[in-house]
Amino acid sequence: MDFTIHQYLLATEPSILFATGTVQQAERSLPEIEEILGGRPLDYIFVSHMESDEYGGIRIFLERYPDAKVICSRLASRELPGLGVECD
């Protein structure tokens, strides 16, 4: 299945990542995001809904940026704690 994943980084203060992508995508995009942020922290990770392209790589980003706050939809807030991820 070939489809496009949309992942956005607002490299502002505070910084926010919209969608982590899948695990494989997160592994590829993390170095680029680190370069764009230039040593600054990733402040927020936004998860709009529970699909692997939205949250699949969340662990990779939280390992690198453990202080990043996860913000999510109400539905995702019921699902993410089951994966060990707290969110607002």
Side-chain angles (χ1 to χ4, degrees), residues 34 37 52 57 67-68 83:
E34 289 175 316
L37 291 175
S52 64
D67 295 328
L83 301 171

Side-chain angles (χ1 to χ4, degrees), residues 4-8 16-21 44-58 69-80 83 85 87-88:
T4 302
I5 303 296
H6 293 278
Q7 181 182 42
Y8 303 96
I16 181 168
L17 176 66
F18 294 87
T20 66
Y44 294 98
I45 300 170
F46 177 72
V47 177
S48 62
H49 58 280
M50 295 302 292
E51 290 182 1
S52 64
D53 61 316
E54 299 296 323
Y55 77 92
I58 199 162
K69 187 172 191 176
V70 178
I71 52 178
C72 61
S73 66
R74 184 169 293 170
L75 178 60
S77 74
R78 294 193 301 256
E79 300 288 333
L80 285 171
L83 301 171
V85 176
C87 59
D88 288 327

